[in-house]
Amino acid sequence: MCGRARCTLRPDDFSRACHLNGRPVRHVNMDRYRPSYNVAPGFNVPVVRREDGGDCGGAVVHCMKWGLIPSFTKKAEKPDHFKMFNARSESIREKASFRRLVPNNRCLVAVEGFYEWKKDGSRKQPYYIHFKDGRPLVFAALFDSWKNPEGEVLYTFTIVTTSSSSALAWLHDRMPVILGNKDSTDRWLNDSSLTNLDTILKPYEESDLAWYPVTPAMGKVSFDGSECIKEVQVKTEETRSISQFFSKGVNHGPEPKLENPSIKNEPIEMNQQKGTKEVPETQDDSITNKDDYDIKPDVASVSVEGTGDIPGKRIYEELSADAKPFAKETDRLNTSPVRKKGKGATDKQPTLLSFFRKS
C-alpha cells in the first residue's frame, strides 16, 4: 500500500528521474503542480507517460490527480480519489478498471520518498522510506481520463503495488512497485510485450532503501513542510496492570521480616506490607492474552528464618486472630462508662457539697 508520499521535485527533475535523457519531452498542466512533503490522493502530481501515438519516442510530463477515476464512471457520480489510489499488480489484468489500461496507459511516478504506517496495537507509527543516496523513487502506475458533467477532461492515475520485500515485511505486507533502473522504467513505459512485465512487477529487494520513524502529525493531510520527514524517537511504553502498579510502581522500602510468627503476645506492626505476586513485564503495548493479566488479589510466600516457607495468607490469618484480643481490650479501655441519671451523687464520685458537709 502507498497512500502518502513526498514530492518536492522541480518540474525538470521528473524527466531525469525517469531516465528520459535525449528524448523529446513536453509538459502538460504543470501549472497545477504544488510541491509537498505530504502528498495524498486527490493531489495534482506530475507523471511521465508516452507521447500520444506512442511511436515517435517522445514522452509527456503530465500533471494528473492521484486516485484513479475510470473513464466509464457516470457523470452524475462524485469522483472519489481515495477509492482506487492503488492497484494490486496481481489483479491489474483481471479487474475491468485496470486491465484495459495495461496495454497503452502505463506511466511513471517520481517522488523522493513515501510513508508507511506500522500498526502497534491501537497505535500507528508512520515511517519514511527513501533511497539512501537521495535519488528519486520511480513507481509503476496506470492512468485514465474521465469527462465530468462540465465537459472537462480529468486525468487521474493509480500506483501499482506488490507484496512487500523481505526488508520491509515487518512494516507492511504491501509496497509500491519500485523501478530502480533505466531498463525497468523503459520496459514499463514502452514495452509492448505484456509478458515481460511480470519480471518487473515484483518486490524491490535491493539494499539501497532506508527508513526511519517520523511524527504521527503528518497523518493529517494539512500537515506539511520539512517536519514531515524529520526523524523522531519512538518511545515504547510498557503496559502495566494494577497489580504491577502496586507491586512495582510505588517504592515502600524493604519488607519487614517476621522473627517468629508462632509467638502470640508480641506487638503487631499494623502497617506491615504483604507480598504481592509480580506480573511479568511485556514490551508490547497490547495485551495478547487477557487471562495472563487478569487483575486478581494474590498473596506471595514470605520467607521466615528457622521455620521454612510459610504461606503468607496463613500468617496473615494468624496475626489477624492474635490481634483481635488486643483490639477488644483497647476498645474496652477507651469506652467511657455510662453515667446513670439520679438525684444524688455516688461515693465514688463525691460532689463539692458532700466535701463541705464532711468538713
Side-chain angles (χ1 to χ4, degrees), residues 55-254:
D55 297 329
C56 62
V60 180
V61 179
H62 192 160
C63 192
M64 304 182 186
K65 276 189 178 293
W66 183 9
L68 192 76
I69 306 298
S71 58
F72 54 77
T73 302
K74 295 180 180 179
K75 291 185 178 182
E77 236 181 284
K78 185 178 180 180
D80 184 1
H81 296 285
F82 281 87
K83 191 174 182 179
M84 284 185 282
F85 59 87
N86 284 161
R88 296 174 67 93
S89 60
E90 299 88 345
S91 59
I92 58 174
R93 299 179 188 177
E94 300 170 2
K95 292 189 175 182
S97 299
F98 308 131
R99 66 188 179 196
R100 57 193 177 78
L101 304 178
V102 174
N104 299 311
N105 285 40
R106 303 191 298 268
C107 62
L108 306 172
V109 178
V111 296
E112 287 101 325
F114 68 100
Y115 304 93
E116 194 54 79
W117 276 258
K118 169 66 175 176
K119 292 183 179 180
D120 189 4
S122 60
R123 300 189 315 171
K124 292 183 180 181
Q125 173 60 51
Y127 284 77
Y128 178 63
I129 299 101
H130 62 100
F131 274 134
K132 293 178 180 178
D133 60 5
R135 73 183 188 274
L137 297 165
V138 180
F139 300 152
L142 299 170
F143 73 94
D144 203 353
S145 60
W146 170 71
K147 184 177 291 187
N148 63 18
E150 289 74 27
E152 179 187 4
V153 177
L154 178 66
Y155 284 87
T156 60
F157 70 92
T158 183
I159 294 175
V160 180
T161 65
T162 183
S163 57
S164 185
S165 66
S166 56
L168 290 173
W170 64 273
L171 181 59
H172 202 277
D173 60 349
R174 305 290 296 179
M175 69 181 298
V177 173
I178 300 175
L179 308 175
N181 52 50
K182 186 178 187 303
D183 178 64
S184 59
T185 56
D186 284 348
R187 275 198 288 168
W188 179 251
L189 199 61
N190 303 305
D191 200 335
S192 58
S193 176
L194 301 182
T195 57
N196 294 335
L197 298 181
D198 294 334
T199 60
I200 59 177
L201 295 178
K202 60 183 183 180
Y204 187 82
E205 294 288 356
E206 301 299 326
S207 60
D208 51 356
L209 281 178
W211 52 86
Y212 55 83
V214 294
T215 175
M218 59 78 49
K220 294 183 178 180
V221 178
S222 57
F223 189 84
D224 199 359
S226 59
E227 291 294 318
C228 290
I229 61 169
K230 184 178 180 181
E231 184 174 2
V232 299
Q233 297 297 323
V234 177
K235 295 181 180 179
T236 304
E237 297 180 359
E238 297 179 353
T239 301
R240 297 185 176 185
S241 63
I242 294 178
S243 60
Q244 283 179 297
F245 173 79
F246 284 106
S247 64
K248 302 183 70 175
V250 180
N251 184 13
H252 294 284

Side-chain angles (χ1 to χ4, degrees), residues 42-56:
F43 279 49
N44 287 293
V45 181
V47 306
V48 174
R49 63 174 178 85
R50 287 188 297 176
E51 183 62 88
D52 299 331
D55 297 329
C56 62

